[in-house]
Amino acid sequence: MTERNKWVEKLLQWFDRTGRALPWREQKPRNPYHVWVSEIMLQQTRVDTVKTYFTEWMRRFPTIDALARAPEEEVLRLWQGLGYYSRARNLHRAAREVLLQWGGTLPRTREALRTLPGIGDYTAGAICSMAFGQKTPAVDGNLLRVLARLYALDEDVLSLAGRRKITGLAEKVIPAARPGDFNEALMDLGALICIPLNPHCDQCPLAAYCQGFQQHRASELPVRKKKAPQKEFHAVCLLVQQENAILLHKRPDKGLLASLWELPTFLAPEKNDCLLLARENFGTFGDVPLWCHKHVFSHQIWYMEAYEAETPAFPLDASYRWVAADELSALPLSGPCQRFFQDLREKRAGGKNKR
Ligand code: SF4
């Protein structure tokens, strides 16, 4: 056995002893639909959070067929709280395509899987290896980090060249007998031991084979170029009420927070421009905000303020809807809008407005 394969064997032994028991790992052999949904949910979301969402999702949409036939609003409502709603929309669209083109069963090749909305290289690799036993690495941040440290690579892991190099290394060592376990073991190791900051090398089953550790460079790796800073905006939201109803606005079906409902919201880089825009559209309103909140997205930061305003004089088009307070939970609301209503409820119940 080569040195290269010895670390794989150690990794799998460690995984057999300590692999995490997770709801989507319960069925053996693995259910491709479960692998797919869990991998999409796990993008940008913590495992503990995903557990609850996954269980509820499978209760409501136990099959691809059930998901494909569900209305979009219900799919988005179940996703509420996970953020990055394009993931839910793509799951739904892909389920419909699978039903129409593949008879309700996920295709078994990486190429065919990649034609489905929301399925990229990583997810296709995860499904092919875990559900279909194919030798395809699932290259995500965990795998990139662990392998960059193991081999002490100096390439930028976010560059195409760095990614290609690591993918090539993974393809050479992924074992034919247990490709899915190899990918999951790397995910678990990356999540529990070889974590981004201060990896727990003293507890690592691979320490004897890890060049990064032996060269005392584990914490410096992987090499990454700095990301562009997030763009900052001011956002003015208007709480407009009529009897027991609140005026909500549906966002366009493309772009950030697409198709989600929110309070009428005006966005601009400068706060004064934002207020001006809101007043041009909704008339005058007071100077004291009802709510202040900083909302951080992956590429943007919104400094938000909400004000009470009057019903606008202009005719409301189809993107606006009066919604009774007890109907709010039935609509897919944007993350900032959910936060607004949560803070408002707490404030009305006597809690403090969080700023
Ligand atoms: S020894 Fe340290 S750096 Fe190397 S794989 Fe293990 S945890 Fe990561």
Side-chain angles (χ1 to χ4, degrees):
M1 179 166 296
T2 62
E3 273 305 293
R4 195 167 64 205
N5 293 347
K6 273 193 202 154
W7 75 255
V8 175
E9 195 182 86
K10 284 278 174 208
L11 175 73
L12 291 172
Q13 286 168 359
W14 172 81
F15 184 63
D16 289 340
R17 285 195 310 276
T18 60
R20 293 174 289 182
L22 299 168
W24 48 93
R25 290 182 180 173
E26 278 169 9
Q27 269 193 30
K28 303 272 185 219
R30 299 285 294 281
N31 179 323
Y33 174 53
H34 288 191
V35 175
W36 174 31
V37 172
S38 63
E39 288 302 332
I40 299 292
M41 285 185 171
L42 285 164
Q43 292 166 14
Q44 322 278 351
T45 310
R46 293 167 57 84
V47 169
D48 279 344
T49 308
V50 170
K51 281 187 199 169
T52 318
Y53 277 89
F54 177 85
T55 306
E56 184 55 22
W57 183 278
M58 288 304 159
R59 196 190 58 73
R60 172 59 192 89
F61 311 125
T63 59
I64 294 177
D65 186 279
L67 173 60
R69 293 177 198 280
E72 186 184 73
E73 285 211 339
E74 190 180 355
V75 173
L76 295 180
R77 194 161 46 75
L78 223 67
W79 198 266
Q80 203 162 280
L82 279 175
Y84 301 96
Y85 283 80
S86 56
R87 294 182 293 164
R89 256 183 235 104
N90 281 335
L91 264 172
H92 193 217
R93 280 173 50 215
R96 290 182 168 176
E97 269 189 52
V98 171
L99 192 62
L100 282 175
Q101 293 185 20
W102 303 90
T105 305
L106 275 174
R108 297 177 71 94
T109 67
R110 191 178 181 133
E111 293 68 33
L113 283 166
R114 289 209 49 196
T115 64
L116 295 169
I119 298 193
D121 239 358
Y122 166 75
T123 309
I127 296 170
C128 283
S129 61
M130 294 174 204
F132 304 138
Q134 296 169 16
K135 277 185 66 180
T136 49
V139 182
D140 71 342
N142 284 323
L143 185 144
L144 289 170
R145 183 172 62 256
V146 175
L147 264 61
R149 287 173 173 168
L150 260 172
Y151 292 92
L153 299 177
D154 289 315
E155 282 86 352
D156 173 8
V157 290
L158 298 180
S159 71
L160 195 58
R163 207 182 163 85
R164 277 203 185 129
K165 181 157 189 178
I166 295 181
T167 305
L169 286 168
E171 279 168 350
K172 276 190 193 136
V173 297
I174 188 168
R178 301 181 65 186
D181 287 350
F182 171 82
N183 283 328
E184 284 193 304
L186 282 175
M187 282 174 209
D188 282 13
L189 192 84
L192 303 171
I193 306 270
C194 195
I195 53 177
L197 292 177
N198 304 321
H200 307 305
C201 300
D202 53 334
Q203 300 164 31
C204 181
L206 308 185
Y209 309 93
C210 180
Q211 294 175 41
F213 171 61
Q214 282 159 22
Q215 295 170 16
H216 307 287
R217 298 173 57 210
S219 292
E220 293 161 26
L221 296 168
V223 174
R224 275 200 192 98
K225 276 202 197 132
K226 282 218 166 87
K227 277 196 213 160
Q230 291 153 306
K231 285 192 181 158
E232 297 187 330
F233 292 94
H234 288 270
V236 165
C237 315
L238 299 177
L239 177 65
V240 184
Q241 298 181 87
Q242 203 176 67
E243 294 170 3
N244 190 31
I246 295 167
L247 187 64
L248 291 189
H249 171 252
K250 188 175 190 181
R251 292 183 63 86
D253 59 7
K254 290 209 165 53
L256 185 66
L257 306 174
S259 301
L260 299 178
W261 291 86
E262 63 180 7
L263 296 179
T265 299
F266 299 89
L267 211 66
E270 297 297 331
K271 184 174 166 183
N272 283 344
D273 293 344
C274 210
L275 285 164
L276 203 66
L277 202 59
R279 289 192 168 115
E280 271 173 16
N281 282 276
F282 274 73
T284 53
F285 49 83
D287 291 331
V288 183
L290 182 68
W291 174 78
C292 300
H293 170 63
K294 177 181 169 186
H295 205 90
V296 180
F297 299 96
S298 57
H299 297 96
Q300 294 184 14
I301 297 176
W302 289 9
Y303 296 98
M304 307 186 73
E305 289 185 349
Y307 296 84
E308 284 190 275
E310 301 293 324
T311 304
F314 63 83
L316 298 171
D317 65 28
S319 65
Y320 288 93
R321 193 198 283 183
W322 289 104
V323 180
D326 57 5
E327 286 170 7
L328 282 173
S329 61
L331 277 185
L333 302 177
S334 71
C337 188
Q338 287 172 47
R339 178 61 188 262
F340 168 78
F341 285 117
Q342 182 191 327
D343 287 349
L344 195 68
R345 274 194 298 274
E346 282 173 16
K347 189 178 176 188
R348 285 181 176 160
K352 277 189 177 169
N353 193 1
K354 293 174 188 157
R355 299 197 172 192

